[in-house]
């Protein structure tokens, strides 16, 4: 159910041929033709493309649950049979879940980078000195509401231009937004250690982690619904009402007081974010420890790359008629929520401050995490 993260190359090419092969002696299945944007067929193709070389049974099981009659169902079943027959097959997160969500997402370590085209907005990586951040409105000093609470940064009220007219259609139109009241947001994404404090309290589900996972790595493979459990526990523990940031609050904070393409300027430079094109430290297997890269003008780390971050809003395909006051944009029904910021597995093009995508609220994926927010008086 990779459909929120993946935008297949069919949008940029007059014709597309995708090949999926269960094993070396299995004939290729060729898919030709332009697939409509945001179509169910596109999402299925994107999902398969992102897992087709995986060595994890859970990836193919997730595909079959999402597309039981999909065009790659037979190939997925063949891969599962082959992996189960192989000696010393790798363990998967989905084989020992705490609670299976309605539509499990693929846990894709060590899957390849999702098969997505580079958006037109992508700029070449600069090798010269980093572009300095623009002056930002002053944010407050960081604070914590309890020993196990994430560190928070107070963000001042203000106005900014949300979205972009020069990138993906979902980010259009660029529009003015006024954040009328200041709020506090996590200095970093919620870490494994912070999540585990909730697990130990019996309020959150344990997340199966890869061997050698760092306690200060961002928690990931959590759904929007899982994040709500953590926020409920954190609110009761701290005495303050925690929530996810709204999409407008998230972008406002992520920009760090700038209006540029990236929070650090108009050109992509290395050493600013955790992505595959962004410089060290970087590993294809897992994101870096939270706070490993420079903070933006508001003192926030990892708003670009690291893990995709859940926000409060329901997904809308564009910003047409979006609220201008920074509130969460709801819908009924609302089963799909917004994720922001890209992940360590994406390229430089996805580090742009306006980058957004969608995911089912009940689905867990190994590239999805979150940071917290709360109101301040």
């Amino acid at each position: 159910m990779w459909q929120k993260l993946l935008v297949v190359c069919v949008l940029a090419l007059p014709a597309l041929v995708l090949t999926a092969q269960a094993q070396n002696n299995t004939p290729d299945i060729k898919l030709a033709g332009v697939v409509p944007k945001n179509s169910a067929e596109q999402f299925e193709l994107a999902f398969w493309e992102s897992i087709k070389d995986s060595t994890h049974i859970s990836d193919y099981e997730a595909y079959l649950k999402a597309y039981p009659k999909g065009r790659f169902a037979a190939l997925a079943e063949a891969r599962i049979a082959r992996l189960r027959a192989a000696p010393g097959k790798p363990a998967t997160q989905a084989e020992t879940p705490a609670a299976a969500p309605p539509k499990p997402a693929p846990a894709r370590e060590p899957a390849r980078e999702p098969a997505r085209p580079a958006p037109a907005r992508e700029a070449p990586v600069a090798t010269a000195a980093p572009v300095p951040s623009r002056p930002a409105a002053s944010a407050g000093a960081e604070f914590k509401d309890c020993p196990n609470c994430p560190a928070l940064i107070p963000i001042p009220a203000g106005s900014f231009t949300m979205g972009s007219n020069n990138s993906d259609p979902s980010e259009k139109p660029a529009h003015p937004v006024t954040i009328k009241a200041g709020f506090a947001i996590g200095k970093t994404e919620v870490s494994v250690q912070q999540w585990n404090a909730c697990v130990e309290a019996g309020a959150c589900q344990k997340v199966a982690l890869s061997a050698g996972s760092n306690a200060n790595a961002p928690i990931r493979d959590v759904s929007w619904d899982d994040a709500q459990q953590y926020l409920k526990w954190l609110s009761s523990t701290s005495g303050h009402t925690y929530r996810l940031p709204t999409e407008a609050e998230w972008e406002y904070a992520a920009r760090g007081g700038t209006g540029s393409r990236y929070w650090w300027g108009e050109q992509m430079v290395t050493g600013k974010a955790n992505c595959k094109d962004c410089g060290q430290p970087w590993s294809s297997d897992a994101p870096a420890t939270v706070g490993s890269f420079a903070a933006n003008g508001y003192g926030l780390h990892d708003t670009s790359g690291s893990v995709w971050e859940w926000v409060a809003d329901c997904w809308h395909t564009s910003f047409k008629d979006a609220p201008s006051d920074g509130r969460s944009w709801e819908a009924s029904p609302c089963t799909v929520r917004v994720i922001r910021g890209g992940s360590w597995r994406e390229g430089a093009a996805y580090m742009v401050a306006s980058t957004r995508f969608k995911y089912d609220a009940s689905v867990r994926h190994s590239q999805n995490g979150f940071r917290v927010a709360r109101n301040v008086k």
Side-chain angles (χ1 to χ4, degrees):
M1 196 20 227
W2 229 138
Q3 61 194 53
K4 291 192 228 27
L5 290 176
L6 305 176
V7 181
V8 195
C9 297
V10 295
L11 305 179
L13 298 174
L16 171 71
V17 176
L18 289 178
T19 300
Q21 192 170 20
Q23 46 194 334
N24 291 339
N25 60 357
T26 301
D28 288 351
I29 288 182
K30 296 182 183 294
L31 305 165
V34 176
V35 180
K37 184 177 174 162
N38 287 333
S39 69
E41 184 180 12
Q42 173 198 335
F43 292 139
E44 182 188 353
L45 294 177
F47 192 162
W48 179 261
E49 184 70 13
S50 71
I51 68 166
K52 67 179 184 180
D53 296 316
S54 176
T55 59
H56 291 267
I57 292 174
S58 62
D59 290 353
Y60 303 106
E61 291 177 334
Y63 170 82
L64 289 172
K65 287 179 181 179
Y67 303 101
K69 297 182 179 179
R71 66 182 65 216
F72 302 110
L75 296 180
E77 290 170 355
R79 292 286 176 84
I80 290 172
R82 186 176 62 177
L83 289 171
R84 283 178 174 161
K89 70 177 180 66
T92 65
Q93 293 183 10
E95 290 172 319
T96 56
K103 287 186 176 180
R108 300 185 307 128
E109 292 91 347
R112 301 187 312 170
E113 167 68 14
R116 291 187 288 176
R121 66 184 174 215
E122 184 170 13
V125 175
T127 56
V131 178
S133 299
R134 298 178 183 178
S138 177
E142 70 176 83
F143 66 95
K144 295 176 72 173
D145 288 327
C146 67
N148 289 325
C149 292
L152 298 175
I153 300 288
I155 305 297
S159 298
F160 76 112
T161 298
M162 184 175 181
S164 171
N165 289 329
N166 300 310
S167 58
D168 188 84
S170 72
E171 299 166 28
K172 300 176 182 179
H175 58 288
V177 172
T178 297
I179 307 293
K180 295 182 178 180
F183 62 98
I185 191 169
K187 180 180 179 180
T188 67
E189 296 148 337
V190 173
S191 70
V192 170
Q193 184 176 34
Q194 290 162 350
W195 178 269
N196 284 344
C198 180
V199 174
E200 292 167 4
C204 291
Q205 299 181 25
K206 185 173 179 61
V207 175
L209 302 171
S210 301
S213 292
N214 190 312
N216 290 320
I219 189 65
R220 54 197 178 92
D221 205 23
V222 291
S223 68
W224 190 93
D225 294 336
D226 293 333
Q228 300 307 308
Q229 292 182 344
Y230 178 83
L231 295 165
K232 181 179 179 180
W233 169 79
L234 192 60
S235 298
S236 64
T237 299
S238 66
H240 296 275
T241 302
Y242 278 80
R243 56 182 174 81
L244 291 175
T246 70
E247 186 175 13
E249 287 174 339
W250 189 96
E251 185 170 329
Y252 176 64
R255 288 184 175 277
T258 74
S260 51
R261 177 177 300 199
Y262 309 92
W263 66 255
W264 54 83
E266 292 296 336
Q267 297 295 318
M268 181 63 205
V269 296
T270 58
K272 291 291 189 179
N274 187 199
C275 84
K276 72 173 185 178
D277 300 328
C278 295
Q280 297 302 320
W282 183 79
S283 168
S284 62
D285 294 333
T289 298
V290 297
S292 296
F293 292 80
N296 70 10
Y298 284 147
L300 305 181
H301 296 268
D302 308 319
T303 57
S304 296
S306 188
V307 292
W308 287 92
E309 299 181 21
W310 291 108
V311 295
D313 301 43
C314 301
W315 172 257
H316 295 79
T317 57
S318 75
F319 285 136
K320 182 182 179 182
D321 301 323
S324 61
D325 58 3
R327 71 181 185 273
S328 177
W329 193 7
E330 298 300 313
S332 181
C334 181
T335 59
V336 179
R337 299 282 177 170
V338 179
I339 51 176
R340 296 295 305 250
S343 84
W344 85 99
R345 283 183 176 162
E346 266 70 64
Y350 290 86
M351 302 304 102
V352 176
S354 58
T355 294
R356 64 192 296 261
F357 218 81
K358 58 186 176 180
Y359 228 74
D360 281 5
S362 62
V363 171
R364 302 183 182 113
H365 192 278
S366 61
Q367 290 171 234
N368 294 352
F370 67 103
R371 74 178 69 218
V372 302
R374 76 169 178 84
N375 296 341
V376 293
K377 294 182 180 179

